[in-house]
């Protein structure tokens, strides 16, 4: 079935968003008809995009995690940056400038690891670090939990 990610989109009317984790410019790509922004550090989803992708593409998180693990979606020469751990600091919504709230997604599996995501409760915008994608893909009720937190926008 191939990669869930298509070629980068070119949208000259919009300036690139700045990654909440690394501070570098993000690139807009299209995934199954939905535009998301990616950087070496992770992916930004505007309100509702993440839940919509999970409904359209079962297994999306695991496939996107594999994509990120395989290469850097922004610039192949930036792989060293992509593998650097980013310090935990206040992160901001790249569209609104609102501070992102650390929000825990619980893993109900015995011994499963909970995941803390960056979320804007006002807009529903969500930033997922590269490492969070794989961990979230292992949570059995992830779509229901995200719908409860993010909502069906």
């Amino acid at each position: 079935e191939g990669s869930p990610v298509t070629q980068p989109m070119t949208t000259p009317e919009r300036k690139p968003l700045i990654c909440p984790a690394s501070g570098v410019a993000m690139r807009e790509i299209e995934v199954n008809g939905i535009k998301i922004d990616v950087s070496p550090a992770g992916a930004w989803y505007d309100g509702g995009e993440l839940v919509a992708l999970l409904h359209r593409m079962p297994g999306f998180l695991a496939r996107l995690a594999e994509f990120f693990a395989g290469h850097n979606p922004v610039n192949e020469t930036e792989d060293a940056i992509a593998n650097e751990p980013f310090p935990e600091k206040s992160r901001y919504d790249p569209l609104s400038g609102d501070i992102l709230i650390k929000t825990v997604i619980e893993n109900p599996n015995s011994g499963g690891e909970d995941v803390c995501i960056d979320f804007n409760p006002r807009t529903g915008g969500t930033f997922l670090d590269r490492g969070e994608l794989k961990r979230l893909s292992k949570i059995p009720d992830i779509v229901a939990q995200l719908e409860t937190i993010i909502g069906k926008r």
Side-chain angles (χ1 to χ4, degrees):
E1 190 168 314
S3 173
V5 179
T6 63
Q7 294 298 316
M9 302 293 295
T10 54
T11 53
E13 69 277 356
R14 191 185 99 166
K15 290 183 181 180
L17 298 182
I18 301 302
C19 175
S22 66
V24 302
M26 301 180 87
R27 178 166 295 169
E28 186 177 68
I29 61 172
E30 186 173 303
V31 180
N32 201 0
I34 295 176
K35 295 175 185 176
I36 63 173
D37 297 276
V38 296
S39 80
W44 172 259
Y45 306 87
D46 296 336
E49 291 176 341
L50 180 57
V51 171
L53 280 169
L54 292 172
H55 278 292
R56 289 183 189 183
M57 301 174 64
F60 165 72
L61 290 173
R63 289 169 53 198
L64 191 59
E66 288 173 16
F67 171 78
F68 268 102
H71 74 291
N72 180 325
V74 176
N75 182 337
E76 295 294 339
T77 62
E78 294 180 356
D79 279 334
I81 294 171
N83 293 319
E84 287 293 314
F86 294 98
E88 282 301 316
K89 59 179 175 138
S90 293
R91 294 180 175 176
Y92 297 89
D93 182 317
L95 290 170
S96 70
D98 297 342
I99 194 162
L100 298 173
I101 306 301
K102 300 284 184 196
T103 306
V104 174
I105 306 293
E106 295 180 359
N107 188 338
N109 291 336
S110 176
E113 184 179 3
D114 293 344
V115 182
C116 187
I117 65 172
D118 299 290
F119 172 65
N120 183 339
R122 187 174 68 78
T123 66
T126 307
F127 182 75
L128 298 179
D129 295 341
R130 290 169 60 119
E132 292 167 350
L133 293 167
K134 188 171 187 176
R135 294 195 319 268
L136 285 171
S137 71
K138 296 178 181 180
I139 297 177
D141 63 343
I142 188 61
V143 176
Q145 282 201 56
L146 288 171
E147 283 180 342
T148 299
I149 293 167
I150 298 170
K152 299 177 187 178
R153 296 174 186 264

